[in-house]
Amino acid sequence: MSIRRTTKAARGAVAMASAVGLALVVAGCGGGDGGAKASDGDKPPARSTAPKDSGPGTPAADSDKVIGEMKGPDGVVVTLHSVVRDSGGFVTVNGTVTNRGTRAFNAIDWRSNETELRSRSSISGATLVDKAGKKRYLVLRDTNGECLCTTGLSGLMPGASRPVFAQFPAPPAKVTEVDFQLPTLPPASVRITD
């Protein structure tokens, strides 16, 4: 009888250890916050700096600050809120796209020309231009070829807004002013903050 109890207890311990291990794996891989910045003020890793996409009509986290604005065709407006240099060697641009037009907006024209990208509605065609250094910086990609930028940007209805972001390699530290560009929109000159 004691062997039976020991075996039963061992199975329970293995099941518990498996459940705890699985929970840790899911928590580590899931990034359940959608990449939003950590609430304790620490900077998250490069891949997880994407703003949480809480759906249409939700402005970017720092939407009260406006450092630039780009007006495009059909009433589309991109308002830039921050361009921040991280010690990890990249720059993150945050903004809000608003559809002030009369028909739904899809960001098909804002994607890059690369064929291996999966997302067809993204801002992967965005660039940062250092005019003084005569260099253009493209949106960073992850190991799967996906841009480190807002994706799935389609069906933005009239009057709706959505937060957008894009990450770029950081220009040299002495470069503090760049042009942010999106296809079909005029560029916006912005300052990089640390």
Side-chain angles (χ1 to χ4, degrees):
M1 190 112 164
S2 64
I3 293 176
R4 188 176 210 184
R5 286 185 188 182
T6 304
T7 304
K8 200 172 189 181
R11 272 192 240 145
V14 168
M16 178 62 84
S18 297
V20 170
L22 182 59
L24 290 174
V25 167
V26 168
C29 293
D33 66 351
K37 289 188 178 181
S39 60
D40 62 356
D42 291 341
K43 291 186 180 179
R47 178 68 178 136
S48 65
T49 59
K52 183 175 182 181
D53 178 16
S54 356
T58 306
D62 52 357
S63 62
D64 55 338
K65 183 178 178 184
V66 176
I67 62 169
E69 189 172 79
M70 305 158 67
K71 295 182 179 180
D74 299 323
V76 173
V77 177
V78 176
T79 306
L80 300 175
H81 305 299
S82 66
V83 180
V84 180
R85 184 188 314 267
D86 192 314
S87 60
F90 58 89
V91 169
T92 303
V93 176
N94 287 297
T96 303
V97 61
T98 304
N99 184 354
R100 296 182 183 161
T102 58
R103 57 187 173 151
F105 170 73
N106 294 313
I108 293 294
D109 293 332
W110 291 358
R111 70 175 189 237
S112 66
N113 292 330
E114 298 169 85
T115 57
E116 68 270 7
L117 294 178
R118 292 185 200 147
S119 177
R120 299 295 174 224
S121 268
S122 69
I123 63 169
S124 61
T127 58
L128 281 184
V129 177
D130 170 11
K131 291 187 286 190
K134 298 182 181 176
K135 291 188 179 181
R136 181 168 41 155
Y137 298 89
L138 305 177
V139 175
L140 291 169
R141 304 299 194 261
D142 66 14
T143 55
N144 294 324
E146 290 293 338
C147 72
L148 296 181
C149 66
T150 300
T151 60
L153 188 56
S154 61
L156 186 65
M157 300 308 288
S161 295
R162 221 177 123 198
V164 292
F165 83 100
Q167 289 184 330
F168 303 89
K174 65 180 181 176
V175 177
T176 58
E177 190 165 322
V178 291
D179 280 358
F180 177 72
Q181 298 180 338
L182 270 172
T184 75
L185 299 178
S189 292
V190 292
R191 290 189 81 67
I192 299 174
T193 59
D194 292 319

